[in-house]
Amino acid sequence: NAGVTQTPKFQVLKTGQSMTLQCAQDMNHEYMSWYRQDPGMGLRLIHYSVGAGITDQGEVPNGYNVSRSTTEDFPLRLLSAAPSQTSVYFCASSYSRSDQETQYFGPGTRLLVL
Amino acid sequence: GENVEQHPSTLSVQEGDSAVIKCTYSDSASNYFPWYKQELGKRPQLIIDIRSNVGEKKDQRIAVTLNKTAKHFSLHITETQPEDSAVYFCAAPRTGRRALTFGSGTRLQVQP
């Protein structure tokens, strides 16, 4: 199993550009999430999904869209990039069973918005 | 929603000493408390977790304790080694959701 994969690893954008961060998992996990990590602030939840076709907002959703058309994929879209979105983005997934809550993280995407 | 506070933000110990990191949470319904280790430039990796029906869990040099009454949990690392140097995050489930709320992290430096 590849686990949780993310592409690209690194991206530079200009203010106002749009892009999609890709996330995929091959563990048949129902739950998937997107976090952003900024220095000194830990990881903050952007959006999450409890299954295909179902998404919900986290604590910092503004400026981001998600969709979940398949169990495997959970892309994150930046509609109009801003310098405040410069961050490291992590995708994570887990099972839905209450005794299998371990979240597995992807390797991250480092985004720089100029 | 859930609020998780983590202390200290930085911790420096001598090799062989013990390290303790503490977290408090706000949602009394929280029942699962993981700890993640993140090395520089890497993804967070789960190192230990505890559920609310136990007060302590150990895995070799790592242990986690939970006090549900006081709503705090702690990570204990004994006989620290230089490879333990990393940022450690505690977390708790977001109310009604599978996603996590993370503490702000503790940078542990083990001096050889």
Side-chain angles (χ1 to χ4, degrees), chain A residues 71-87:
Chain A
T71 299
E72 294 78 19
D73 300 298
F74 192 42
L76 178 71
R77 281 182 288 276
L78 280 70
L79 308 174
S80 178
S84 61
Q85 294 179 304
T86 293
S87 188

Side-chain angles (χ1 to χ4, degrees), chain A residues 24-37:
Chain A
Q25 51 90 12
D26 61 359
M27 296 175 283
N28 204 30
H29 285 169
E30 297 90 349
Y31 288 77
M32 296 187 75
S33 307
W34 276 102
Y35 297 88
R36 60 178 287 175
Q37 184 174 31

Side-chain angles (χ1 to χ4, degrees), chain A residues 49-67:
Chain A
S49 170
V50 300
I54 306 170
T55 63
D56 204 350
Q57 296 180 349
E59 57 182 306
V60 287
N62 292 342
Y64 308 96
N65 273 359
V66 292
S67 60

Side-chain angles (χ1 to χ4, degrees), chain A residues 101-105, chain B residues 19 21 23 31-38 44-51 54-66 73-78 87-92 100 102:
Chain A
E101 291 147 308
T102 302
Q103 294 223 357
Y104 296 87
F105 284 84
Chain B
I21 303 170
C23 287
N31 59 1
Y32 171 70
F33 306 93
W35 284 91
Y36 285 83
K37 175 183 180 181
Q38 186 178 30
Q45 300 243 346
L46 181 74
I47 55 171
I48 195 167
D49 55 17
I50 190 168
R51 295 187 63 82
V54 297
E56 184 176 6
K57 183 178 179 180
K58 290 183 179 180
D59 183 3
Q60 299 183 349
R61 298 184 297 108
I62 294 174
V64 57
T65 58
L66 172 64
F73 56 111
S74 300
L75 177 71
H76 305 256
I77 306 175
T78 58
V87 179
Y88 292 81
F89 293 97
C90 62
L100 298 170
F102 284 83

Side-chain angles (χ1 to χ4, degrees), chain A residues 6-17:
Chain A
Q6 291 183 238
T7 57
K9 292 183 180 179
F10 182 71
Q11 183 71 47
V12 180
L13 290 178
K14 293 181 180 179
T15 297
Q17 287 185 316

